[in-house]
Short mmCIF file of all heavy atoms in Angstrom, two decimals:
data_model
loop_
_atom_site.label_atom_id
_atom_site.label_comp_id
_atom_site.label_asym_id
_atom_site.label_seq_id
_atom_site.Cartn_x
_atom_site.Cartn_y
_atom_site.Cartn_z
N MET A 1 -3.38 -1.48 -16.46
CA MET A 1 -2.23 -1.70 -15.64
C MET A 1 -0.97 -1.84 -16.49
O MET A 1 0.09 -1.37 -16.09
CB MET A 1 -2.40 -2.93 -14.77
CG MET A 1 -3.30 -2.71 -13.57
SD MET A 1 -3.51 -4.15 -12.51
CE MET A 1 -1.88 -4.41 -11.88
N LEU A 2 -1.13 -2.50 -17.60
CA LEU A 2 0.05 -2.70 -18.45
C LEU A 2 0.57 -1.36 -18.97
O LEU A 2 1.78 -1.15 -19.03
CB LEU A 2 -0.28 -3.63 -19.62
CG LEU A 2 -0.55 -5.09 -19.24
CD1 LEU A 2 -0.95 -5.88 -20.47
CD2 LEU A 2 0.65 -5.71 -18.56
N GLN A 3 -0.34 -0.47 -19.35
CA GLN A 3 0.08 0.84 -19.83
C GLN A 3 0.80 1.62 -18.73
O GLN A 3 1.81 2.26 -19.00
CB GLN A 3 -1.11 1.64 -20.34
CG GLN A 3 -1.67 1.11 -21.64
CD GLN A 3 -2.92 1.87 -22.06
OE1 GLN A 3 -3.56 2.52 -21.26
NE2 GLN A 3 -3.26 1.75 -23.34
N ALA A 4 0.29 1.53 -17.51
CA ALA A 4 0.93 2.23 -16.39
C ALA A 4 2.32 1.64 -16.15
O ALA A 4 3.28 2.37 -15.89
CB ALA A 4 0.08 2.12 -15.14
N GLY A 5 2.43 0.33 -16.25
CA GLY A 5 3.73 -0.31 -16.07
C GLY A 5 4.72 0.10 -17.15
O GLY A 5 5.89 0.37 -16.86
N GLU A 6 4.24 0.16 -18.37
CA GLU A 6 5.12 0.58 -19.47
C GLU A 6 5.56 2.02 -19.29
O GLU A 6 6.71 2.37 -19.54
CB GLU A 6 4.40 0.40 -20.81
CG GLU A 6 4.27 -1.05 -21.22
CD GLU A 6 3.50 -1.22 -22.51
OE1 GLU A 6 3.20 -0.21 -23.19
OE2 GLU A 6 3.19 -2.37 -22.85
N ALA A 7 4.65 2.88 -18.84
CA ALA A 7 4.99 4.28 -18.62
C ALA A 7 6.04 4.40 -17.51
O ALA A 7 6.95 5.24 -17.59
CB ALA A 7 3.75 5.08 -18.26
N ARG A 8 5.93 3.55 -16.49
CA ARG A 8 6.88 3.62 -15.37
C ARG A 8 8.28 3.16 -15.78
O ARG A 8 9.26 3.54 -15.16
CB ARG A 8 6.37 2.79 -14.20
CG ARG A 8 5.18 3.46 -13.52
CD ARG A 8 4.64 2.66 -12.40
NE ARG A 8 5.55 2.67 -11.26
CZ ARG A 8 5.21 2.27 -10.04
NH1 ARG A 8 3.98 1.86 -9.81
NH2 ARG A 8 6.07 2.30 -9.06
N LEU A 9 8.37 2.37 -16.82
CA LEU A 9 9.69 1.92 -17.28
C LEU A 9 10.54 3.09 -17.74
O LEU A 9 11.77 3.02 -17.70
CB LEU A 9 9.54 0.90 -18.41
CG LEU A 9 9.02 -0.47 -18.00
CD1 LEU A 9 8.78 -1.33 -19.24
CD2 LEU A 9 9.98 -1.16 -17.05
N ALA A 10 9.90 4.17 -18.15
CA ALA A 10 10.63 5.34 -18.62
C ALA A 10 11.15 6.20 -17.48
O ALA A 10 11.97 7.09 -17.69
CB ALA A 10 9.73 6.18 -19.52
N ASN A 11 10.68 5.93 -16.26
CA ASN A 11 11.11 6.72 -15.10
C ASN A 11 12.57 6.44 -14.74
O ASN A 11 13.04 5.30 -14.84
CB ASN A 11 10.25 6.41 -13.87
CG ASN A 11 8.83 6.91 -14.01
OD1 ASN A 11 8.53 7.74 -14.86
ND2 ASN A 11 7.95 6.39 -13.18
N ASP A 12 13.24 7.48 -14.28
CA ASP A 12 14.58 7.26 -13.74
C ASP A 12 14.41 6.66 -12.34
O ASP A 12 13.32 6.63 -11.77
CB ASP A 12 15.38 8.57 -13.70
CG ASP A 12 14.70 9.62 -12.84
OD1 ASP A 12 14.87 9.58 -11.61
OD2 ASP A 12 13.99 10.49 -13.42
N ALA A 13 15.50 6.17 -11.78
CA ALA A 13 15.44 5.46 -10.49
C ALA A 13 14.88 6.35 -9.37
O ALA A 13 14.08 5.89 -8.55
CB ALA A 13 16.83 4.95 -10.11
N ARG A 14 15.26 7.60 -9.35
CA ARG A 14 14.80 8.50 -8.28
C ARG A 14 13.28 8.70 -8.36
O ARG A 14 12.57 8.61 -7.35
CB ARG A 14 15.51 9.84 -8.40
CG ARG A 14 15.16 10.80 -7.31
CD ARG A 14 15.94 12.08 -7.43
NE ARG A 14 15.57 12.99 -6.37
CZ ARG A 14 16.15 14.14 -6.16
NH1 ARG A 14 17.14 14.53 -6.94
NH2 ARG A 14 15.76 14.91 -5.19
N THR A 15 12.76 8.93 -9.55
CA THR A 15 11.33 9.12 -9.74
C THR A 15 10.56 7.85 -9.39
O THR A 15 9.53 7.89 -8.73
CB THR A 15 11.02 9.54 -11.20
OG1 THR A 15 11.74 10.74 -11.48
CG2 THR A 15 9.54 9.73 -11.44
N GLU A 16 11.06 6.73 -9.84
CA GLU A 16 10.39 5.46 -9.57
C GLU A 16 10.38 5.15 -8.08
O GLU A 16 9.38 4.68 -7.53
CB GLU A 16 11.07 4.33 -10.35
CG GLU A 16 10.37 3.00 -10.22
CD GLU A 16 8.91 3.04 -10.64
OE1 GLU A 16 8.53 3.84 -11.50
OE2 GLU A 16 8.12 2.24 -10.09
N ARG A 17 11.47 5.42 -7.39
CA ARG A 17 11.54 5.20 -5.94
C ARG A 17 10.50 6.07 -5.23
O ARG A 17 9.78 5.61 -4.35
CB ARG A 17 12.95 5.49 -5.43
CG ARG A 17 13.28 4.84 -4.13
CD ARG A 17 14.75 4.96 -3.70
NE ARG A 17 15.65 5.77 -4.48
CZ ARG A 17 16.49 5.31 -5.42
NH1 ARG A 17 16.54 4.02 -5.67
NH2 ARG A 17 17.29 6.12 -6.08
N ARG A 18 10.39 7.34 -5.65
CA ARG A 18 9.43 8.25 -5.04
C ARG A 18 8.00 7.76 -5.29
O ARG A 18 7.18 7.71 -4.36
CB ARG A 18 9.60 9.66 -5.61
CG ARG A 18 8.68 10.69 -4.92
CD ARG A 18 8.82 12.09 -5.48
NE ARG A 18 8.32 12.12 -6.86
CZ ARG A 18 9.03 12.53 -7.92
NH1 ARG A 18 10.26 12.97 -7.79
NH2 ARG A 18 8.49 12.52 -9.11
N ASN A 19 7.71 7.36 -6.51
CA ASN A 19 6.37 6.85 -6.84
C ASN A 19 6.05 5.59 -6.04
O ASN A 19 4.94 5.43 -5.53
CB ASN A 19 6.24 6.57 -8.33
CG ASN A 19 6.24 7.83 -9.17
OD1 ASN A 19 6.02 8.92 -8.67
ND2 ASN A 19 6.48 7.66 -10.46
N ALA A 20 7.01 4.70 -5.96
CA ALA A 20 6.80 3.45 -5.22
C ALA A 20 6.55 3.73 -3.74
O ALA A 20 5.65 3.14 -3.14
CB ALA A 20 8.00 2.52 -5.40
N LEU A 21 7.31 4.62 -3.14
CA LEU A 21 7.11 4.96 -1.73
C LEU A 21 5.75 5.62 -1.51
O LEU A 21 5.08 5.35 -0.51
CB LEU A 21 8.22 5.87 -1.23
CG LEU A 21 9.57 5.18 -1.01
CD1 LEU A 21 10.64 6.20 -0.67
CD2 LEU A 21 9.46 4.13 0.08
N GLN A 22 5.31 6.45 -2.44
CA GLN A 22 3.99 7.06 -2.31
C GLN A 22 2.90 5.99 -2.34
O GLN A 22 1.95 6.05 -1.56
CB GLN A 22 3.76 8.08 -3.43
CG GLN A 22 4.51 9.36 -3.24
CD GLN A 22 4.35 10.32 -4.43
OE1 GLN A 22 4.01 9.90 -5.54
NE2 GLN A 22 4.60 11.59 -4.19
N GLN A 23 3.04 5.01 -3.20
CA GLN A 23 2.05 3.95 -3.28
C GLN A 23 2.05 3.10 -2.02
O GLN A 23 0.99 2.71 -1.53
CB GLN A 23 2.29 3.09 -4.51
CG GLN A 23 1.95 3.82 -5.79
CD GLN A 23 2.22 3.00 -7.03
OE1 GLN A 23 2.98 2.03 -7.01
NE2 GLN A 23 1.58 3.37 -8.12
N VAL A 24 3.22 2.81 -1.49
CA VAL A 24 3.30 2.05 -0.24
C VAL A 24 2.61 2.83 0.87
O VAL A 24 1.84 2.26 1.67
CB VAL A 24 4.77 1.74 0.13
CG1 VAL A 24 4.88 1.21 1.55
CG2 VAL A 24 5.37 0.75 -0.86
N CYS A 25 2.83 4.13 0.94
CA CYS A 25 2.19 4.96 1.96
C CYS A 25 0.67 4.96 1.81
O CYS A 25 -0.05 4.91 2.81
CB CYS A 25 2.74 6.38 1.92
SG CYS A 25 4.43 6.50 2.52
N GLU A 26 0.18 5.00 0.58
CA GLU A 26 -1.26 4.96 0.35
C GLU A 26 -1.86 3.66 0.88
O GLU A 26 -2.90 3.65 1.52
CB GLU A 26 -1.57 5.11 -1.13
CG GLU A 26 -1.33 6.49 -1.68
CD GLU A 26 -1.52 6.57 -3.19
OE1 GLU A 26 -2.24 5.72 -3.75
OE2 GLU A 26 -0.94 7.48 -3.79
N VAL A 27 -1.19 2.55 0.61
CA VAL A 27 -1.66 1.25 1.10
C VAL A 27 -1.65 1.23 2.62
O VAL A 27 -2.61 0.79 3.26
CB VAL A 27 -0.81 0.10 0.51
CG1 VAL A 27 -1.13 -1.22 1.18
CG2 VAL A 27 -1.03 0.00 -0.99
N MET A 28 -0.56 1.72 3.22
CA MET A 28 -0.46 1.73 4.68
C MET A 28 -1.55 2.60 5.30
O MET A 28 -2.15 2.22 6.31
CB MET A 28 0.93 2.22 5.11
CG MET A 28 2.03 1.23 4.80
SD MET A 28 3.70 1.85 5.08
CE MET A 28 3.60 2.62 6.65
N ARG A 29 -1.82 3.77 4.71
CA ARG A 29 -2.87 4.65 5.22
C ARG A 29 -4.22 3.94 5.19
O ARG A 29 -5.00 4.01 6.13
CB ARG A 29 -2.94 5.94 4.41
CG ARG A 29 -2.11 7.04 4.99
CD ARG A 29 -2.38 8.37 4.25
NE ARG A 29 -1.10 8.85 3.77
CZ ARG A 29 -0.69 8.89 2.52
NH1 ARG A 29 -1.47 8.56 1.55
NH2 ARG A 29 0.52 9.30 2.23
N GLY A 30 -4.50 3.28 4.10
CA GLY A 30 -5.77 2.57 3.96
C GLY A 30 -5.91 1.45 4.99
O GLY A 30 -6.95 1.29 5.61
N ARG A 31 -4.84 0.69 5.19
CA ARG A 31 -4.89 -0.41 6.16
C ARG A 31 -5.01 0.13 7.58
O ARG A 31 -5.74 -0.43 8.40
CB ARG A 31 -3.67 -1.30 6.02
CG ARG A 31 -3.71 -2.10 4.75
CD ARG A 31 -2.53 -3.02 4.60
NE ARG A 31 -2.64 -3.76 3.35
CZ ARG A 31 -1.72 -4.59 2.90
NH1 ARG A 31 -0.63 -4.80 3.60
NH2 ARG A 31 -1.89 -5.21 1.77
N LEU A 32 -4.30 1.21 7.87
CA LEU A 32 -4.40 1.81 9.19
C LEU A 32 -5.80 2.35 9.44
O LEU A 32 -6.38 2.15 10.51
CB LEU A 32 -3.37 2.95 9.33
CG LEU A 32 -3.37 3.67 10.67
CD1 LEU A 32 -3.07 2.71 11.82
CD2 LEU A 32 -2.35 4.80 10.65
N ALA A 33 -6.39 2.98 8.44
CA ALA A 33 -7.75 3.50 8.58
C ALA A 33 -8.73 2.37 8.85
O ALA A 33 -9.64 2.51 9.68
CB ALA A 33 -8.15 4.27 7.33
N GLN A 34 -8.57 1.23 8.19
CA GLN A 34 -9.46 0.09 8.43
C GLN A 34 -9.26 -0.47 9.83
O GLN A 34 -10.21 -0.91 10.46
CB GLN A 34 -9.21 -1.01 7.41
CG GLN A 34 -9.75 -0.68 6.04
CD GLN A 34 -9.46 -1.78 5.04
OE1 GLN A 34 -8.55 -2.58 5.21
NE2 GLN A 34 -10.24 -1.80 3.97
N THR A 35 -8.03 -0.47 10.31
CA THR A 35 -7.75 -1.01 11.64
C THR A 35 -8.33 -0.11 12.72
O THR A 35 -8.92 -0.59 13.68
CB THR A 35 -6.22 -1.15 11.84
OG1 THR A 35 -5.72 -2.03 10.84
CG2 THR A 35 -5.89 -1.69 13.21
N VAL A 36 -8.17 1.19 12.54
CA VAL A 36 -8.61 2.14 13.55
C VAL A 36 -10.13 2.31 13.50
O VAL A 36 -10.78 2.44 14.53
CB VAL A 36 -7.91 3.50 13.34
CG1 VAL A 36 -8.48 4.57 14.24
CG2 VAL A 36 -6.42 3.35 13.57
N SER A 37 -10.69 2.34 12.33
CA SER A 37 -12.11 2.60 12.17
C SER A 37 -12.70 1.65 11.14
O SER A 37 -13.03 2.05 10.03
CB SER A 37 -12.31 4.05 11.72
OG SER A 37 -13.66 4.30 11.46
N PRO A 38 -12.85 0.38 11.50
CA PRO A 38 -13.38 -0.57 10.53
C PRO A 38 -14.84 -0.27 10.23
O PRO A 38 -15.57 0.28 11.05
CB PRO A 38 -13.23 -1.92 11.22
CG PRO A 38 -13.19 -1.61 12.67
CD PRO A 38 -12.58 -0.22 12.78
N GLU A 39 -15.24 -0.60 9.03
CA GLU A 39 -16.64 -0.44 8.66
C GLU A 39 -17.47 -1.38 9.52
O GLU A 39 -17.08 -2.51 9.76
CB GLU A 39 -16.85 -0.78 7.18
CG GLU A 39 -16.21 0.20 6.24
CD GLU A 39 -16.52 -0.14 4.79
OE1 GLU A 39 -17.48 -0.88 4.53
OE2 GLU A 39 -15.77 0.34 3.93
N PRO A 40 -18.62 -0.90 9.99
CA PRO A 40 -19.45 -1.79 10.81
C PRO A 40 -19.93 -2.96 9.98
O PRO A 40 -20.32 -2.80 8.83
CB PRO A 40 -20.61 -0.91 11.25
CG PRO A 40 -20.62 0.25 10.32
CD PRO A 40 -19.23 0.39 9.77
N SER A 41 -19.87 -4.12 10.58
CA SER A 41 -20.35 -5.30 9.86
C SER A 41 -21.84 -5.44 10.12
O SER A 41 -22.33 -5.03 11.16
CB SER A 41 -19.60 -6.55 10.33
OG SER A 41 -19.73 -6.70 11.71
N PRO A 42 -22.56 -6.01 9.18
CA PRO A 42 -24.00 -6.17 9.38
C PRO A 42 -24.26 -7.10 10.55
O PRO A 42 -23.47 -8.01 10.82
CB PRO A 42 -24.49 -6.78 8.06
CG PRO A 42 -23.28 -7.30 7.37
CD PRO A 42 -22.11 -6.56 7.93
N PRO A 43 -25.34 -6.88 11.28
CA PRO A 43 -25.62 -7.75 12.42
C PRO A 43 -25.82 -9.17 11.93
O PRO A 43 -26.43 -9.41 10.88
CB PRO A 43 -26.90 -7.18 13.02
CG PRO A 43 -27.47 -6.26 12.00
CD PRO A 43 -26.36 -5.88 11.07
N SER A 44 -25.29 -10.09 12.68
CA SER A 44 -25.45 -11.49 12.29
C SER A 44 -26.63 -12.08 13.04
O SER A 44 -26.88 -11.75 14.19
CB SER A 44 -24.18 -12.28 12.60
OG SER A 44 -23.91 -12.23 13.98
N SER A 45 -27.35 -12.94 12.35
CA SER A 45 -28.47 -13.61 13.00
C SER A 45 -27.93 -14.87 13.65
O SER A 45 -27.00 -15.50 13.15
CB SER A 45 -29.55 -13.93 11.99
OG SER A 45 -29.03 -14.73 10.96
N PRO A 46 -28.51 -15.26 14.78
CA PRO A 46 -28.01 -16.47 15.44
C PRO A 46 -28.28 -17.68 14.55
O PRO A 46 -29.30 -17.74 13.86
CB PRO A 46 -28.82 -16.54 16.73
CG PRO A 46 -29.99 -15.64 16.53
CD PRO A 46 -29.60 -14.65 15.47
N SER A 47 -27.33 -18.58 14.55
CA SER A 47 -27.54 -19.79 13.76
C SER A 47 -28.52 -20.68 14.49
O SER A 47 -28.60 -20.69 15.71
CB SER A 47 -26.21 -20.51 13.52
OG SER A 47 -25.65 -20.88 14.75
N VAL A 48 -29.28 -21.42 13.75
CA VAL A 48 -30.29 -22.28 14.33
C VAL A 48 -29.95 -23.72 13.99
O VAL A 48 -29.67 -24.05 12.85
CB VAL A 48 -31.70 -21.93 13.79
CG1 VAL A 48 -32.74 -22.90 14.31
CG2 VAL A 48 -32.06 -20.51 14.14
N ASN A 49 -29.95 -24.54 15.00
CA ASN A 49 -29.75 -25.96 14.81
C ASN A 49 -31.05 -26.50 14.24
O ASN A 49 -32.07 -26.55 14.92
CB ASN A 49 -29.39 -26.62 16.14
CG ASN A 49 -29.12 -28.10 16.00
OD1 ASN A 49 -29.62 -28.75 15.08
ND2 ASN A 49 -28.35 -28.64 16.93
N THR A 50 -31.04 -26.91 12.99
CA THR A 50 -32.28 -27.33 12.34
C THR A 50 -32.83 -28.62 12.92
O THR A 50 -34.02 -28.88 12.84
CB THR A 50 -32.08 -27.48 10.83
OG1 THR A 50 -31.02 -28.38 10.59
CG2 THR A 50 -31.81 -26.14 10.19
N LEU A 51 -31.99 -29.44 13.50
CA LEU A 51 -32.49 -30.69 14.09
C LEU A 51 -33.22 -30.41 15.39
O LEU A 51 -34.28 -30.96 15.65
CB LEU A 51 -31.34 -31.67 14.34
CG LEU A 51 -30.62 -32.18 13.09
CD1 LEU A 51 -29.46 -33.07 13.47
CD2 LEU A 51 -31.59 -32.93 12.20
N ALA A 52 -32.67 -29.55 16.24
CA ALA A 52 -33.27 -29.30 17.54
C ALA A 52 -34.20 -28.08 17.50
O ALA A 52 -35.01 -27.89 18.38
CB ALA A 52 -32.20 -29.09 18.60
N GLY A 53 -34.01 -27.20 16.49
CA GLY A 53 -34.83 -26.01 16.39
C GLY A 53 -34.48 -24.94 17.40
O GLY A 53 -35.26 -24.06 17.70
N THR A 54 -33.26 -25.01 17.95
CA THR A 54 -32.82 -24.03 18.95
C THR A 54 -31.55 -23.37 18.47
O THR A 54 -30.80 -23.97 17.69
CB THR A 54 -32.56 -24.70 20.32
OG1 THR A 54 -31.57 -25.71 20.12
CG2 THR A 54 -33.83 -25.32 20.87
N PRO A 55 -31.31 -22.13 18.96
CA PRO A 55 -30.05 -21.49 18.58
C PRO A 55 -28.86 -22.32 19.04
O PRO A 55 -28.90 -22.94 20.09
CB PRO A 55 -30.09 -20.14 19.31
CG PRO A 55 -31.54 -19.92 19.59
CD PRO A 55 -32.15 -21.29 19.76
N SER A 56 -27.81 -22.34 18.24
CA SER A 56 -26.62 -23.11 18.62
C SER A 56 -25.55 -22.19 19.15
O SER A 56 -25.58 -21.01 19.03
CB SER A 56 -26.09 -23.92 17.46
OG SER A 56 -25.88 -23.09 16.35
#
């Protein structure tokens, strides 16, 4: 990461703005994809009340 940051210091403002906007878009695409189509979560087992021995 440090090397990438150092390399970006050499960018002019226009290039850096374009790169930053592309990265923001990548993050937004990923978050939108998770919202629209979240990965299925593993089925959860019912919790058991150990004192009563029944599902809670």
Side-chain angles (χ1 to χ4, degrees):
M1 283 180 65
L2 292 176
Q3 289 176 341
E6 287 177 9
R8 288 178 72 166
L9 288 174
N11 291 343
D12 59 82
R14 183 177 180 175
T15 302
E16 185 56 30
R17 201 172 6 262
R18 184 181 67 236
N19 290 343
L21 286 173
Q22 285 175 339
Q23 289 179 340
V24 168
C25 289
E26 288 174 24
V27 170
M28 290 172 46
R29 267 188 236 109
R31 289 182 181 176
L32 180 60
Q34 286 179 338
T35 300
V36 173
S37 175
E39 292 183 19
S41 57
S44 60
S45 58
S47 61
V48 175
N49 182 335
T50 56
L51 295 177
T54 58
S56 54

